[in-house]
Amino acid sequence: MARLDETKPFIPVRIAILTVSDTRGVDQDKSGDTLVKRLEAAGHVLSDRMVLPDERDQIADQLRNWCVNPAIDVIISTGGTGLTGRDVTVEAHRDVYEKEIEAFATVFTMVSVQKIGTSAVQSRATGGVAQGTYLFALPGSPGACKDAWDEILQYQLDYRHKPCNFVEIMPRLDEHLRRTKS
């Protein structure tokens, strides 16, 4: 079973939060607030935060901009993961991913089934990696953000989490982009 290795130091991760919504601004962003409170309580750093409309190109462009920003290790978006025509966040994420983390969606679904039963099939939460940065797309409800953070991300973004975690492999995420010396 998973546990924390208290002999290892905590390593803060720099996280950007993107809320995707046609109707909310930062002042009404309960899902973004939920994530910010949790990441800061865990000891991580909020690097940036914004709200964008459900526009695939705008979302993908912002994700790309953040991926090349050395002050950002992780991007978490909330909103736009459903099934309606305006829900394009997953497609925007996949436009950016170099590698998808398929198991993130699976584990998120497992967590969601425990909370909301078969309604979990309506979520298209996803995770991936691009330019050495982790990206996660969560549903737009505060409850879904709470569940994703409390049940998955708080552990995977903690270097002390055993048997393994996302933080310990961060230095190798972009190794394919580095040139080898001759």
Side-chain angles (χ1 to χ4, degrees):
M1 194 69 196
R3 67 184 194 295
L4 288 183
D5 180 350
E6 299 290 348
T7 66
K8 293 172 97 175
F10 177 78
I11 299 174
V13 175
R14 299 162 300 179
I15 303 172
I17 302 295
L18 175 63
T19 298
V20 177
S21 175
D22 287 332
T23 60
R24 287 180 282 163
V26 174
D27 294 344
Q28 305 87 30
D29 183 14
K30 293 179 182 175
S31 296
D33 290 344
T34 297
L35 290 167
V36 169
K37 287 176 189 166
R38 282 177 158 64
L39 75 87
E40 289 179 339
H44 298 297
V45 176
L46 178 65
S47 292
D48 203 352
R49 180 178 180 184
M50 70 173 38
V51 177
L52 286 178
D54 293 273
E55 296 294 339
R56 183 174 177 168
D57 291 342
Q58 286 183 42
I59 297 163
D61 287 346
Q62 185 58 52
L63 295 174
R64 285 186 192 98
N65 288 337
W66 277 345
C67 283
V68 297
N69 183 336
I72 296 173
D73 303 309
V74 176
I75 301 165
I76 304 173
S77 68
T78 174
T81 63
L83 302 173
T84 70
R86 294 290 294 156
D87 291 325
V88 295
T89 303
V90 173
E91 289 75 17
H93 270 252
R94 289 183 175 145
D95 289 345
V96 175
Y97 291 166
E98 293 165 1
K99 295 186 180 198
E100 189 161 357
I101 306 169
E102 289 91 353
F104 178 79
T106 302
V107 174
F108 181 79
T109 300
M110 292 168 56
V111 168
S112 295
V113 166
Q114 295 174 17
K115 309 285 180 161
I116 61 172
T118 60
S119 295
V121 301
Q122 295 184 34
S123 171
R124 297 185 305 134
T126 185
V129 178
Q131 300 291 319
T133 303
Y134 289 109
L135 300 97
F136 302 98
L138 308 178
S141 76
C145 291
K146 175 186 174 297
D147 293 343
W149 183 269
D150 293 354
E151 304 293 332
I152 306 168
L153 294 174
Q154 79 166 329
Y155 300 112
Q156 284 300 300
L157 297 178
D158 191 329
Y159 179 67
R160 304 167 300 168
H161 179 72
K162 296 306 247 170
C164 58
N165 59 75
F166 289 143
V167 179
E168 65 190 354
I169 60 173
M170 276 182 173
R172 298 191 337 246
L173 290 178
D174 63 355
E175 63 192 356
H176 69 290
L177 301 174
R178 291 184 231 141
R179 294 179 186 215
T180 56
K181 293 183 180 181
S182 325

